[in-house]
Amino acid sequence: MSASSFLIGAEDAVVDPPHGAVACPDCGTVQSLPHRSGHGVIRCCTCDMALERTAGRSISAALACSAATFGLLFPANLLPLLNVTILQTLNQSVIMSGVIGIFRQGWPSVAIVVGLEIVVLPFFRFGLLTVVLAALRAGIRAPWIGPAFKWSEILDEWSMPDVFLFGCIVGYSRVAPFLPIDIGTGGWCLISAALLTMITRATLERRAIWRMIGPVVEKPSPGMIGCVRCDFPVPASMNGKPCPRCHARIWRIRPFSVMRAFALTMAGLAFYPVAYIYPMEYS
């Protein structure tokens, strides 16, 4: 299926000529993407999903936020997160203190996952993103940029400094009334990094970045399928082969996807009553 997207916004009556073809990540429709015209949202012609937002997006702003976040992660992890004074004794904690505490309480698997999501993966996520955006900003179009940007997007799903910040706020609000506690330098750096993480997502238009990486298919043709990672439309003969742009495997229908989804759904349905009825921990 192929069609033309339409633009909704301040100038929704004006639609520029198509600028490349794209596959909708929700419904898979391969369609022409119009030139950006003023402020608005380019939506899928089939499922009405927002394909691209034309307001508030900037590669320069995303690069600045990403680089600043990457730099703030170093003091956020190395400097004290919280300072607690008890009986004139100062106790300082860093991010890794919580990971070590979880490990010592007999939860090694949870400690590893938390350590990866809070400490390790954010460095890789924002390091890769900063390098990719800096290369594109400098006009570099190297073959490694597509896979690097793909991995930065995958890591964005698992690196969670912003989620960790909300957990810290909850913990701080419950402890602060009973203990003389204040936020350390590392804590302020973590707050700044978490806020910049959200701003980076807000200023980054991934589909515009993929077009800059290239290649770009000018016009859709019948029977084309899309890459699930970069939405690059390819002929149906590419089914099961690597994407030319991001090197992810392309599938019209992923093998055994229905079976896996059904099995995971039934497993979740079976565990939900147990999770709500029985205690989570014993002390």
Side-chain angles (χ1 to χ4, degrees), residues 73 77 94-103 107-125 155 158-161 164 190:
L73 288 175
N77 283 275
V94 295
I95 291 180
M96 281 301 297
S97 301
V99 178
I100 295 173
I102 295 173
F103 184 87
W107 298 86
S109 300
V110 177
I112 292 173
V113 172
V114 172
L116 287 174
E117 293 183 345
I118 304 303
V119 180
V120 179
L121 296 184
F123 281 103
F124 286 98
R125 149 71 173 166
L155 292 176
W158 295 95
S159 58
M160 302 180 178
F164 182 64
L190 175 64

Side-chain angles (χ1 to χ4, degrees), residues 32-105:
S32 295
L33 189 67
H35 286 291
R36 289 181 289 184
S37 175
H39 299 287
V41 181
I42 300 174
R43 296 191 176 276
C44 174
C45 60
T46 300
C47 67
D48 202 39
M49 176 196 175
L51 293 178
E52 183 173 328
R53 300 184 183 275
T54 61
R57 268 51 175 183
S58 168
I59 184 174
S60 299
L63 173 59
C65 292
S66 178
T69 305
F70 182 72
L72 286 169
L73 288 175
F74 288 94
N77 283 275
L78 298 175
L79 298 180
L81 189 67
L82 295 173
N83 301 316
V84 182
T85 303
I86 301 177
L87 300 177
Q88 298 183 345
T89 302
L90 177 63
N91 297 293
Q92 296 179 325
S93 63
V94 295
I95 291 180
M96 281 301 297
S97 301
V99 178
I100 295 173
I102 295 173
F103 184 87
R104 290 177 176 174
Q105 292 175 9

Side-chain angles (χ1 to χ4, degrees), residues 9 13 20-21 35-36 58 85 89 129 149 168 183 189 193 197-198 217 241 248 255-256 261 263 268-269:
H35 286 291
R36 289 181 289 184
S58 168
T85 303
T89 302
L129 183 60
F149 185 61
C168 290
I183 302 174
C189 291
T197 297
M198 293 182 281
V217 175
K241 298 179 181 179
F256 308 109
L269 185 63

Side-chain angles (χ1 to χ4, degrees), residues 195-215:
L195 293 176
L196 284 173
T197 297
M198 293 182 281
I199 296 175
T200 302
R201 294 196 190 101
T203 56
L204 182 67
E205 178 48 65
R206 56 179 298 274
R207 187 159 286 107
I209 299 299
W210 280 121
R211 285 203 307 271
M212 294 180 67
I213 294 173

Side-chain angles (χ1 to χ4, degrees), residues 121-226:
L121 296 184
F123 281 103
F124 286 98
R125 149 71 173 166
F126 288 100
L128 282 174
L129 183 60
T130 301
V131 171
V132 168
L133 295 180
L136 294 176
R137 191 74 172 78
I140 300 174
R141 301 294 186 272
W144 56 267
I145 294 181
F149 185 61
K150 176 193 69 174
W151 278 107
S152 73
E153 288 197 299
I154 294 174
L155 292 176
D156 185 41
E157 302 171 2
W158 295 95
S159 58
M160 302 180 178
D162 47 346
V163 177
F164 182 64
L165 174 62
F166 287 108
C168 290
I169 293 174
V170 174
Y172 180 84
S173 63
R174 299 180 70 175
V175 174
F178 307 102
L179 292 175
I181 185 172
D182 61 276
I183 302 174
T185 306
W188 290 114
C189 291
L190 175 64
I191 293 173
S192 302
L195 293 176
L196 284 173
T197 297
M198 293 182 281
I199 296 175
T200 302
R201 294 196 190 101
T203 56
L204 182 67
E205 178 48 65
R206 56 179 298 274
R207 187 159 286 107
I209 299 299
W210 280 121
R211 285 203 307 271
M212 294 180 67
I213 294 173
V216 175
V217 175
E218 292 299 330
K219 294 181 179 180
S221 58
M224 297 186 87
I225 57 178

